[in-house]
């Protein structure tokens, strides 16, 4: 993997950890996740005039991705309600690249080298190590996290392929971000009514815009990287977000870090080095 691609994926991972921390620290996980999607859509809408339209072959991928993103945000919120972030986040983000790596040959015809596969396995092992320190969450939280790992792996394949046929990965990302907030807020209004949803938007619009900007930038960088490197390698490298989540939890959220977090950080860093050498 070229060094510039690696650095940009790591930047995207830092942004991903930031918006997840915003959702976890919010008062209403479902609406906060929808706000992040709305912020991403608003940022995408602003930049659309400056990018070309995706090629026609990309539009089916964009539509399928919107449905998967809707499911993803719903499962993120449900998992964070059911369990501790120390359990849920590692399971979602650690299992997904394993699924992608094990099936990318069948789905995309991409076969990783033994070194790249070793790097994927080491990164995922490091991420999953963090689940060992979880203090809250049971079977329900685990099932939600694993279900979302499957959704993450699925939209990774869909968007990786879609970005490649679109002709412009950034354009694909911006258009892909428009429909999920429509689905999420339609669902929220149908369940709760307009007034409560509007009040939440009015009070938290800045949080949503900031988180959404981080979300779309993070994913745009990942999709661009997928046009330059194997999808499975990029998917694994993205999960270094857990390192940045560790730093945020310790230095900003003031959470106590056990030996498992530091051990996981060392393992993930080793996996990143292996991926760079692959």
């Amino acid at each position: 993997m070229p060094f510039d691609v690696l650095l940009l994926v790591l930047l995207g991972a830092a942004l991903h950890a930031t918006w997840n921390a915003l959702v976890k620290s919010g008062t209403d996980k479902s609406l906060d996740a929808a706000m992040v999607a709305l912020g991403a859509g608003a940022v995408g809408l602003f930049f659309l005039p400056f990018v070309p339209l995706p090629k026609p072959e990309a539009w089916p991928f964009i539509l399928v991705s919107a449905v998967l993103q809707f499911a993803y945000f719903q499962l993120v919120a449900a998992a964070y309600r059911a369990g501790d972030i120390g359990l849920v986040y590692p399971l979602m983000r650690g299992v997904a690249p394993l699924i992608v790596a094990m099936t990318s040959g069948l789905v995309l015809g991409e076969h990783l080298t033994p070194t790249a596969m070793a790097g994927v396995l080491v990164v995922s092992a490091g991420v999953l190590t963090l689940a060992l320190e979880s203090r809250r969450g049971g079977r329900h939280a685990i099932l939600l996290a694993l279900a979302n790992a499957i959704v993450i792996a699925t939209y990774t394949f869909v968007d990786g392929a879609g970005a490649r046929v679109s002709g412009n990965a950034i354009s694909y990302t911006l258009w892909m971000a428009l429909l999920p907030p429509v689905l999420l807020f339609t669902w929220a209004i149908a369940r709760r009514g307009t007034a409560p949803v509007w009040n939440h938007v009015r009070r938290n619009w800045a949080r949503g815009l900031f988180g959404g900007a981080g979300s779309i930038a993070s994913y745009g960088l990942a999709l661009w990287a997928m046009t330059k490197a194997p999808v499975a390698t990029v998917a694994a490298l993205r999960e270094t977000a857990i390192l940045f989540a560790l730093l945020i939890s310790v230095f900003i959220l003031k959470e106590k870090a056990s030996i498992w977090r530091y051990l996981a950080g060392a393992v993930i860093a080793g996996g990143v080095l292996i991926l760079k050498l692959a």
Side-chain angles (χ1 to χ4, degrees), residues 251-262:
F251 293 106
I252 297 178
L253 300 181
K254 305 300 181 183
E255 296 178 355
K256 292 183 179 180
S258 74
I259 186 63
W260 291 112
R261 292 198 187 189
Y262 297 109

Side-chain angles (χ1 to χ4, degrees), residues 151-169:
V151 172
I152 292 167
T154 305
Y155 77 58
T156 297
F157 281 134
V158 170
D159 290 335
R164 289 177 176 179
V165 302
S166 69
N168 187 300

Side-chain angles (χ1 to χ4, degrees), residues 213-230:
S215 172
I216 195 170
S218 169
Y219 202 45
L221 289 170
L223 291 184
W224 172 81
M226 288 176 189
T227 67
K228 308 293 182 181

